[in-house]
Amino acid sequence: MSLLDMIGPVMIGPSSSHTAGACRLGLVAHHLLGEAPRRAVIGLHASFAKTGRGHGTHLALVAGLLGYGPDDPRLPRAFEEAEAAGLSAEFRDVDLGDVHPNTAHIELHGAEQAVTVQGSSTGGGVIRVTEVQGLGVNFSGSNPTLLLRYADAVGMIARVASTVAADGVNIAALTCTREARGGQALLAIELDQALSPEALAFLNRWPDMNWVRPLPKLMDG
Amino acid sequence: MTTLESLMNAPAPASAWVLAQDCAETGLDPEAIRAEMARRIGEMRASVERGLRSDARSITGMVGWNAKGLWDAPDVLGAPLLRRVQAYAMAVNEENARMGRIVAAPTAGSAGTIPGALLGVADHLGLPDERLVDPLILAAGVGKAISKRMFISGAAGGCQAEIGSSAAMAAAAVVELLGGSPRACVHAASLALMNTIGLVCDPVGGYVEVPCVSRNAFFAVHAVSAAQLALAQLESFIPPDEVVGAMASVGRLMPAELRETAEGGLAQTPTGLAVTARMEGREGESGMIELPMA
């Protein structure tokens, strides 16, 4: 939390938690998909489902999926922009259980790939991403974040960490979850700076690595 | 941890101390923060100007024309500062309600209070926008100190947490703008908070419109009033951090119905319930919005 989070974000109204935060959740899915989005299925939980419509939560989520930030003047026209860009979106009211009342579950498909993201808008435009590709994570987008999916094996975290260190980048926080021992694992690393394209390409070339996505810094502070 | 007590005892100007502390913590560049704050003052001013000109209704039709109406009306009380501060604050929140671009400060629902108080006072006195950068940094520092002990959203702590925080931030900023000491800045914030305790968050229909827009106008004046008291050396009898603690405890005691759920207060009046029913009707029976398939 920095001074720029207290006076900010610069955003399109009306609600920092229902609009700016929702847009940032959409942005996470946009960046993690890594290609043009074609179809989205968005589950809205509790307060997002109850009071989202009048607050532009639907517009903000679609704006984020298109890659627009919370201050983008196209946000109120996001549905028209989505149609022009070939993105269809379907909204459902869902019960995601014991999670923050402002939570969305996003399933986003492109021509080649698909991604699922679940996250909460916790107030003042701040978000917390809690699930990616069905596995638990915990990051806010206040740092550049690197997400990797690979087959669980001894030494993977150490190998990734040394690649990050060799790129001269410091690790701020790291979470790792796996489906089962030897199953698919998801590593989310919050970084002080974004990783170089060379380091990303290097990680992508590993045979046991099946998904590498850099997420840019999404918050002001 | 930055507390209001530490801020009160910082060397003057308080904003320079806040900026140094924050940059040490986050590793951000002080000049970059100052440049961004200057840009945000420009954004605040643009939202005020758009809001004073427009009388377009919000999606619910509950707000949209009040700022322009006040700004265009004769100043019958002969209180130009009062009218300016109120009109600026409402201009920002009406822009917000009609999906216009604003600066959340600290939230979107309370976005008009700081521009109302700070830009309103500066324009009344003929002070240039460059003078507002440091006061805005101080406002952010006060908000950060409050948020360390208390959430700043109406859903978490009632409207005291939301507009009370913005009024405290605005009061401190106005005191620094007018040359007050760090001690006076923090006491202004404390006085503004003390007089907000117990304020319920009861948006009609759940929308950030009624009573939020006019509440920003009231609390922008409230902030200026607190600044005036503190500049005359009046102080908050209860130490500022204790006031924040009291606000946090009242927020926790408050039932959920009074914390932005639209299940209490003005939201449950016959008119409030009618607005809810009307807006739900607009959204269709299925509760689904479908985009056209490409």
Side-chain angles (χ1 to χ4, degrees):
Chain A
M1 171 79 60
S2 95
L3 297 174
L4 294 174
D5 298 315
M6 297 306 308
I7 304 291
V10 178
M11 57 168 284
I12 306 291
S15 164
S16 35
S17 53
H18 285 79
T19 319
C23 178
R24 282 173 168 159
L25 290 172
L27 268 178
V28 172
H30 168 86
H31 288 292
L32 294 186
L33 183 66
E35 62 173 318
R38 294 264 171 243
R39 187 169 72 86
V41 181
I42 302 172
L44 299 173
H45 171 78
S47 175
F48 262 9
K50 265 167 83 179
T51 70
R53 281 171 184 83
H55 284 134
T57 303
H58 301 67
L59 289 167
L61 279 159
V62 169
L65 296 179
L66 291 168
Y68 306 165
D71 64 339
D72 196 301
R74 294 170 294 182
L75 191 147
R77 301 193 311 270
F79 287 175
E80 290 94 314
E81 300 281 349
E83 192 182 357
L87 166 66
S88 71
E90 183 188 316
F91 291 93
R92 293 178 180 157
D93 292 353
V94 292
D95 182 352
L96 298 171
D98 187 19
V99 295
H100 191 282
N102 292 331
T103 298
H105 182 277
I106 304 169
E107 184 188 311
L108 186 62
H109 299 265
E112 308 279 327
Q113 308 260 349
V115 68
T116 64
V117 173
Q118 184 169 312
S120 310
S121 172
T122 60
V126 177
I127 59 164
R128 183 139 296 278
V129 180
T130 50
E131 217 180 278
V132 169
Q133 306 293 59
L135 287 169
V137 290
N138 180 13
F139 62 87
S140 67
S142 56
N143 296 300
T145 305
L146 181 65
L147 284 107
L148 309 114
R149 203 145 191 258
Y150 52 81
D152 175 44
V154 174
M156 276 301 278
I157 295 176
R159 285 171 63 200
V160 172
S162 43
T163 304
V164 172
D167 206 35
V169 174
N170 193 24
I171 291 178
L174 182 151
T175 53
C176 182
T177 40
R178 59 183 183 182
E179 288 160 348
R181 190 184 287 198
Q184 283 288 304
L186 182 75
L187 184 59
I189 313 178
E190 293 181 69
L191 304 165
D192 281 356
Q193 302 111 48
L195 218 57
S196 70
E198 295 74 29
L200 282 172
F202 178 69
L203 288 169
N204 249 318
R205 281 200 297 272
W206 295 1
D208 31 12
M209 186 69 71
N210 51 37
W211 192 79
V212 178
R213 288 287 183 277
L215 184 68
K217 178 181 165 76
L218 299 176
M219 302 280 295
D220 296 312
Chain B
M1 181 171 115
T2 308
T3 59
L4 291 175
E5 175 85 20
S6 61
L7 188 51
M8 188 160 70
N9 293 311
S15 57
W17 186 83
V18 162
L19 187 58
Q21 291 281 314
D22 196 67
C23 288
E25 189 184 311
T26 61
L28 296 171
D29 171 38
E31 279 316 302
I33 302 268
R34 296 190 84 253
E36 184 56 30
M37 287 293 186
R39 193 177 78 79
R40 289 185 184 188
I41 287 163
E43 291 280 0
M44 285 179 175
R45 188 166 285 291
S47 64
V48 166
E49 283 168 5
R50 284 194 308 271
L52 290 179
R53 279 197 310 268
S54 175
D55 56 7
R57 287 168 179 245
S58 68
I59 192 169
T60 66
M62 286 191 283
V63 298
W65 57 92
N66 291 301
K68 184 178 189 312
L70 177 61
W71 193 238
D72 292 345
D75 177 14
V76 285
L77 286 173
L81 172 66
L82 180 70
R83 185 174 64 152
R84 187 180 289 275
V85 165
Q86 289 192 316
Y88 282 19
M90 282 200 292
V92 174
N93 286 85
E94 289 193 331
E95 266 297 282
N96 182 53
R98 62 171 89 89
M99 297 289 281
R101 188 170 148 119
I102 54 95
V103 184
T107 62
S110 63
T113 308
I114 291 175
L118 192 58
L119 299 182
V121 167
D123 288 358
H124 180 72
L125 298 175
L127 305 173
D129 283 359
E130 301 87 83
R131 293 272 304 275
L132 306 181
V133 174
D134 293 328
L136 194 62
I137 287 169
L138 176 61
V142 167
K144 200 173 158 179
I146 292 172
S147 71
K148 293 254 167 99
R149 298 189 63 170
M150 175 66 192
F151 291 114
I152 50 167
S153 75
C159 212
Q160 59 187 330
E162 189 152 346
I163 201 130
S165 296
S166 69
M169 293 159 70
V174 170
V175 172
E176 174 151 319
L177 176 68
L178 300 181
S181 65
R183 187 176 179 87
C185 290
V186 172
H187 276 288
S190 184
L191 287 164
L193 265 190
M194 276 175 85
N195 201 40
T196 318
I197 294 225
L199 190 62
V200 309
C201 182
D202 53 351
V204 171
Y207 298 93
V208 194
E209 298 190 10
V210 174
C212 319
V213 171
S214 59
R215 199 167 272 175
N216 272 267
F218 286 118
F219 278 82
V221 174
H222 181 79
V224 174
S225 184
Q228 177 145 346
L229 297 183
L231 283 163
Q233 312 302 320
L234 274 75
E235 296 198 339
S236 151
F237 179 80
I238 305 294
D241 288 306
E242 291 184 27
V243 174
V244 176
M247 179 179 82
S249 111
V250 172
R252 281 190 290 269
L253 286 169
M254 218 177 250
E257 286 81 356
L258 302 180
R259 286 185 277 130
E260 211 187 344
T261 53
E263 288 167 349
L266 298 170
Q268 287 293 309
T269 57
T271 301
L273 292 171
V275 168
T276 306
R278 179 160 56 87
M279 295 311 292
E280 277 171 358
R282 280 174 66 130
E283 284 161 9
E285 301 276 315
S286 70
M288 280 177 65
I289 297 177
E290 283 254 19
L291 287 185
M293 289 298 290

